[in-house]
């Protein structure tokens, strides 16, 4: 990757500025300036009107001593546990099964699985609300045939999080599969031949050949999903509005709730706490991956 | 980072063996698993589409049944009568076209500038761009909202189009792709008397075409389905996009009592959702190759 390569073209310096100018104007106006503004807001008491009051670290200490803030982080952590391991393991397993078998319709399956990823979240979430409805839903109807219990999928504190996680899994697993497919297909055939000669079975080969060889991709995928889940707010917003009793209020939705309540200073502080958290998590992930590679 | 070509699934295959009873059972199991996965992933879509053609009472009382002979356009007619969905689709189209145009013109130009020209503070500026890649979008929502209200842009198309029109990632991606173009090609164009823009048009753009197609397709879906920013910036009917409209519709329905009238509302809602999903599914089927290439390019940095 020629990242550090210097251009040898003896051009006038202002041409470069001219080329990046449109991007930087938009970038400065709608990314850099708001970012600095947000930092200032996070140290202020402001509800959308009047003068900014500088209140120092109060917003931060308020959040850090607030049970709801920690509960929202806890909800996000549970979401992570419900989504990331299932999706990662499932995607590698399916990807390697698809790559190593000689079944037909493999391309069709790839298209089918990626389809939910391109559908509008707002639309599909509505369908899920109905499919998982307590009284009228497909899922409870089928459970009824099997004389199973009627479950309050989106309306009980026990099931709201798993049901939202199920929606996320349905919506995004195609993306995971594509990434894993590209990694698994990069493994040279002779590695598998060697493993077959050594008498390794399918499961043994999967665990000691496939998984270690796609470790970097797994790491990348876990970092990306962690970033996504730390910011997740649309899924619980559309499916449950964070309820019941805030049981599905993720950290992203908690932050959004500050915005809609015009509690803007606290919201800004909340977002910077998330930035710090995400940064630390990524740093930790990079560390873990590095140490494994050595 | 390479824009990997379309994945062929014929990678390292299993060792060739004659078809034995055992291998037949295995492939049967394989097809069974594939079928199960396909059904799980397609069923919600299938259910949504078919429900939009069912009478409201059937959706609620008999959610699993679908009899194509009893299909009705009732929900669709009511939906078009009561929900300003065509207007919302038009708004979404405007946003997709303009946002996409800004991105597809200025991101490659910025990438070209960063990849092939030397200027003061280049490293610093590019580093700053990379830094914002780590920033959660939600951090920007509050100050952007304030900025919009100061500019008087709440409920305007500018508010939907300009923020986030060029993202740091696209510039990064274009820069990486353009750096792989040999300088000699650009030098040759220069010797022929082409200025920087001419060289861009006649040398860079043709080579960049696959990456641009992937970028276009990927951002098409992202902009079409985007909900986070529009939901904050838009609260009137004039400018709401499809996604905002749909997110609001559900609260109308779930707010009312489950009964006869709400059954009809659910039917309309499913019609609206299906309406919003048709364009993306059609586009996806048409642009599938480019889309998957775009996903891969986006992932393997």
């Amino acid at each position: 990757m020629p990242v550090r390569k210097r251009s040898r073209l003896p051009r006038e310096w202002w041409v470069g500025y001219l080329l990046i100018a449109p991007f930087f104007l938009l970038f400065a106006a709608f990314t850099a300036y708001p970012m600095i503004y947000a930092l200032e807001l996070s140290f202020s008491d402001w509800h959308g009107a009047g003068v900014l009051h500088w209140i120092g670290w109060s917003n931060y200490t308020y959040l850090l001593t607030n049970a709801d803030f920690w509960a929202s982080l806890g909800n996000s952590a549970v979401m992570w546990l419900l989504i990331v391991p299932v999706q990662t393991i499932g995607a590698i397993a399916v990807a390697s099964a698809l790559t190593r078998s000689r079944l037909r319709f493999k391309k069709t399956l790839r298209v089918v699985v990626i389809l939910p990823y391109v559908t509008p979240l707002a639309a599909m979430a509505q369908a899920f609300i109905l499919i998982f409805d307590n009284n009228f839903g497909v899922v409870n109807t089928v459970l009824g045939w099997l004389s199973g219990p009627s479950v309050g999928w989106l309306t009980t504190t026990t099931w709201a999080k798993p049901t939202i996680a199920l929606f996320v899994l349905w919506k995004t697993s195609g993306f995971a599969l594509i990434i894993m497919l590209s990694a698994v297909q990069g493994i040279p055939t002779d590695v598998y031949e060697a493993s077959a000669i050594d008498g390794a079975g399918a499961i043994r080969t999967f665990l000691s050949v496939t998984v270690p060889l796609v470790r970097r991709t797994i790491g990348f995928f876990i970092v990306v999903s962690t970033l996504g889940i730390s910011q997740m707010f649309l899924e619980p917003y559309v499916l449950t509005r964070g309820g019941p009793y805030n049981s599905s209020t993720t950290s992203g939705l908690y932050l959004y709730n500050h915005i809609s309540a015009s509690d803007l200073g606290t919201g800004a502080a909340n977002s910077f706490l998330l930035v710090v958290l995400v940064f630390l998590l990524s740093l930790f992930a990079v560390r873990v991956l590095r140490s494994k590679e050595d | 980072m390479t824009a990997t070509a379309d994945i062929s699934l014929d990678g390292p295959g299993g060792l060739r063996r004659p078809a034995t009873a055992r291998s037949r059972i295995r492939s049967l199991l394989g097809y069974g698993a594939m079928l199960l996965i396909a059904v799980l992933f397609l069923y919600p879509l299938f259910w949504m589409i078919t429900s939009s053609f069912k009478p409201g009472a059937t959706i609620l009382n008999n959610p699993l049944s679908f009899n194509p002979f009893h299909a009705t356009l009732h929900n669709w007619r009511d939906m078009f009568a009561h929900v300003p969905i065509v207007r919302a689709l038009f708004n979404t189209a405007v946003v997709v076209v303009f946002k996409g145009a800004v991105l597809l013109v200025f991101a490659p130009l910025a990438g070209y500038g960063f990849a092939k020209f030397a200027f003061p503070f280049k490293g610093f500026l590019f580093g700053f761009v990379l830094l914002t890649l780590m920033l959660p979008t939600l951090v920007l929502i509050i100050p952007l909202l304030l900025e919009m209200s100061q500019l008087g842009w709440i409920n305007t198309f500018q508010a939907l189009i300009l923020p986030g029109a060029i993202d740091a990632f696209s510039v990064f991606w274009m820069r990486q792709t353009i750096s792989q173009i040999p300088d000699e090609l650009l030098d040759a164009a220069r010797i022929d008397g082409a200025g920087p823009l001419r060289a861009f048009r006649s040398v860079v753009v043709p080579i960049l075409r696959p990456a641009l197609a992937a970028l276009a397709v990927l951002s098409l879906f992202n902009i079409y389905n985007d909900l986070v920013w529009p939901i904050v910036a838009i609260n009137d009917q004039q400018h709401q996009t499809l996604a905002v409209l749909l997110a609001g519709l559900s609260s109308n329905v779930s707010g009312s009592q489950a009964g006869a009238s709400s059954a009809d509302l659910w039917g309309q809602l499913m019609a609206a959702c299906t309406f919003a999903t048709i364009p993306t599914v059609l586009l996806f089927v048409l642009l599938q190759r480019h889309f998957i290439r775009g996903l891969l390019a986006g992932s393997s940095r």
Side-chain angles (χ1 to χ4, degrees), chain A residues 64-76:
Chain A
L64 290 171
T65 55
N66 186 330
D68 286 344
F69 172 75
W70 293 103
S72 73
L73 284 183
N75 286 337
S76 287

Side-chain angles (χ1 to χ4, degrees), chain A residues 1-3 5-13 15-17 19-20 22-24 26-27 29-35 37-38 41 46 48 94 98-100 102-107 109-124 126-131 135-138 141-142 145 169-170 173-175 178-179 181-182 184-185 187-189 192-193 196 202 220 231 233-234 237-238 241 252 255-256 259 264 267-268 271-272 274-275 278-279 282, chain B residues 1 6-17 27 30-31 34 37-38 40-45 47-48 59-60 63-64 102 106 109-110 112-121 125 128-129 132 134-148 150 153 162-163 166-167 171 175-176 179-180 183-184 186-187 190 196-197 221 224-225 227-228 231-232 243 246-247 250-251 258 266 269-270 273 276-277 280-281 284 288 291-292 295-296 298-299 301:
Chain A
M1 237 173 26
V3 176
K5 200 175 101 183
R6 289 230 163 193
S7 169
R8 287 183 286 106
L9 301 175
R11 299 237 197 259
E12 303 82 346
W13 59 266
V15 177
Y17 277 136
L19 286 168
I20 65 165
F23 161 69
F24 256 97
L26 284 171
F27 182 79
F30 303 119
T31 303
Y33 168 73
M35 208 171 92
Y37 196 4
L41 267 181
W46 207 60
V94 173
L98 281 183
T99 310
R100 309 249 304 126
R102 288 187 285 125
L103 301 175
R104 284 154 62 194
F105 306 117
K106 290 188 292 192
K107 281 195 174 174
L109 188 73
R110 188 188 71 184
V111 172
V112 164
V113 172
I114 194 83
L115 206 54
Y117 187 74
V118 300
T119 56
L121 186 141
M124 295 319 300
Q126 313 303 351
F128 257 73
I129 289 173
L130 264 180
I131 290 173
N135 305 312
F136 312 116
V138 170
T141 306
V142 172
W145 290 348
L169 283 171
W170 177 79
S173 290
F175 175 72
I178 293 289
I179 292 180
L181 269 176
S182 73
V184 171
Q185 282 169 10
I187 301 174
T189 323
Y192 284 109
E193 277 160 10
F220 163 79
Q231 300 186 39
F233 100 90
L234 279 175
Y237 173 80
V238 182
R241 294 287 190 267
L255 160 57
Y256 176 82
I259 303 177
L264 300 173
S271 46
F272 280 103
L274 286 185
V275 171
V278 164
F279 181 76
S282 318
Chain B
M1 189 188 81
D6 196 28
I7 306 177
S8 79
L9 278 170
D10 313 314
L15 301 171
R16 272 182 191 279
R17 286 198 202 96
S27 73
Y31 284 121
M34 281 169 70
I37 295 174
L40 284 177
F41 276 81
L42 283 184
Y43 186 73
L45 263 170
W47 187 85
M48 178 180 79
I59 302 178
L60 297 188
L64 275 143
V102 172
F106 294 132
L109 279 178
Y112 179 49
F114 275 124
K116 295 294 179 193
F117 294 88
F119 47 86
F121 304 112
L125 289 174
F128 193 62
V129 173
T132 60
M134 288 196 57
L135 202 72
T137 353
L138 279 168
V139 183
L140 295 178
I141 291 244
I142 296 174
L144 265 179
L145 189 65
L146 296 175
E147 199 182 343
M148 292 302 123
Q150 280 162 6
W153 280 12
L162 288 177
I166 319 192
D167 56 304
V171 172
R175 189 201 100 119
Q176 294 296 89
S179 326
Q180 286 160 7
D183 288 346
E184 288 74 21
L186 292 170
D187 282 335
R190 193 179 155 80
L197 277 180
F221 286 108
Y224 186 95
N225 294 329
L227 186 53
V228 185
I231 218 171
V232 179
L246 291 177
S250 71
S251 53
W266 281 116
L269 181 62
M270 287 305 106
C273 290
T277 308
T280 47
V281 169
F284 171 70
Q288 201 235 106
F291 178 70
I292 289 170
L295 272 190
L296 286 176
S299 66
R301 45 183 159 120

Side-chain angles (χ1 to χ4, degrees), chain B residues 258-275:
Chain B
S261 60
S262 114
D264 290 337
L265 288 177
W266 281 116
Q268 286 180 36
L269 181 62
M270 287 305 106
C273 290
T274 305
F275 179 82

Side-chain angles (χ1 to χ4, degrees), chain B residues 240-259:
Chain B
Q240 67 186 351
T241 58
L242 270 175
V244 176
L245 176 75
L246 291 177
L249 276 184
S250 71
S251 53
N252 291 346
V253 181
S254 53
S256 60
Q257 286 298 305

